[in-house]
Amino acid sequence: MMVLRSLAFNVFFFAWLALVLVVMVLFLPLPRRVMQNAVRVWTHVMGLGLKAIIGLDFEVRGRQHIPPGGVVFACKHQSAWETMAFHILFRDTTYVMKKELFAVPLFGWYARKVQSIPVDRAGGAAALRRLIRNARTQIAAGRPLVIFPEGTRMAPGERGAYHPGVFALYKQARATVVPVALNSGLFWGRSQFVKHPGVMVIEFLDAMPEGLN
């Protein structure tokens, strides 16, 4: 049964994605907020499809740890779900993405339009300076900024090497960094066709105190 449900969800996922990618071309000449709202509609409908077809919902914990204004969410990365979830949870979110994604036709155009931040993991100090400069602009605008410190999806219970970007934001951009834990990989694993019903948990932890090494 879950194989059939997963097949149905994948058909829905790619059909809805294809439709949205085509329609959003119309929004490129319009203000950024129009494109951002279109992205939120896409993610909300995707979430509804996930719940209706797979039976997979989510629970949010630790909202009291989210400070007002611009903040950096340093999030674990286990599935495709969290690449959409922050658009569902917050009105105006900015993601830090690897620069290669900006070269993808259509998707890359929209990522630039909503001012997602490219990061060149092989770019050294110059890339970190660009990251900090772009992040300061988004934080000053009061937007939540999402970064995946491990840079790629990891299986539940595993931990990859942390890239220096999140530390640069914490130390040099003097951003408030809130660690985010989740268990989405238990239900929607990396490169796994079958999705599983249940309730994913995403938890916002205490903000990192100042002065850590």
Side-chain angles (χ1 to χ4, degrees):
M1 177 62 74
M2 290 317 303
V3 172
L4 293 178
R5 287 190 176 188
S6 297
L7 176 61
F9 176 75
N10 279 3
V11 171
F12 162 76
F13 181 98
F14 289 108
W16 175 236
L17 176 61
L19 175 63
V20 168
L21 287 176
V22 172
V23 172
M24 284 170 60
V25 171
L26 302 174
F27 304 146
L28 283 172
L30 302 178
R32 174 191 176 275
R33 60 181 174 80
V34 177
M35 184 67 75
Q36 186 73 9
N37 288 335
V39 171
R40 294 192 72 232
V41 169
W42 167 62
T43 56
H44 274 77
V45 172
M46 199 68 75
L48 292 174
L50 192 63
K51 183 177 180 180
I53 300 171
I54 300 296
L56 181 55
D57 204 353
F58 66 91
E59 173 189 345
V60 181
R61 299 177 184 173
R63 286 187 182 271
Q64 70 274 16
H65 297 144
I66 304 174
V71 61
V72 173
F73 293 124
C75 186
K76 297 292 285 186
H77 194 11
Q78 296 181 0
S79 79
W81 178 76
E82 51 269 16
T83 65
M84 302 179 287
F86 288 87
H87 288 301
I88 299 173
L89 296 173
F90 301 95
R91 181 170 296 277
D92 194 2
T93 304
T94 300
Y95 276 83
V96 176
M97 304 178 182
K98 58 184 179 181
K99 70 170 188 176
E100 290 81 3
L101 291 175
F102 287 77
V104 177
L106 297 179
F107 180 88
W109 302 350
Y110 308 146
R112 289 187 180 89
K113 184 67 178 182
V114 298
Q115 297 177 11
S116 298
I117 299 177
V119 60
D120 182 1
R121 287 181 286 191
L128 286 179
R129 287 194 295 269
R130 287 192 296 270
L131 170 64
I132 293 166
R133 183 171 62 252
N134 292 329
R136 282 174 172 163
T137 300
Q138 300 302 319
I139 292 169
R143 296 172 186 142
L145 181 66
V146 181
I147 187 170
F148 300 117
E150 292 163 303
T152 189
R153 286 172 291 178
M154 304 295 298
E158 293 184 0
R159 190 177 81 176
Y162 290 105
H163 294 276
V166 66
F167 181 70
L169 295 175
Y170 166 77
K171 196 73 172 179
Q172 299 179 42
R174 298 187 178 279
T176 300
V177 177
V178 174
V180 183
L182 46 75
N183 66 352
S184 57
L186 297 176
F187 306 91
W188 186 346
R190 178 179 182 178
S191 302
Q192 291 184 1
F193 175 78
V194 176
K195 283 77 175 171
H196 301 279
V199 179
M200 297 176 287
V201 175
I202 181 168
E203 183 172 3
F204 297 89
L205 308 180
D206 289 317
M208 293 173 59
E210 296 182 1
L212 298 179
N213 60 29

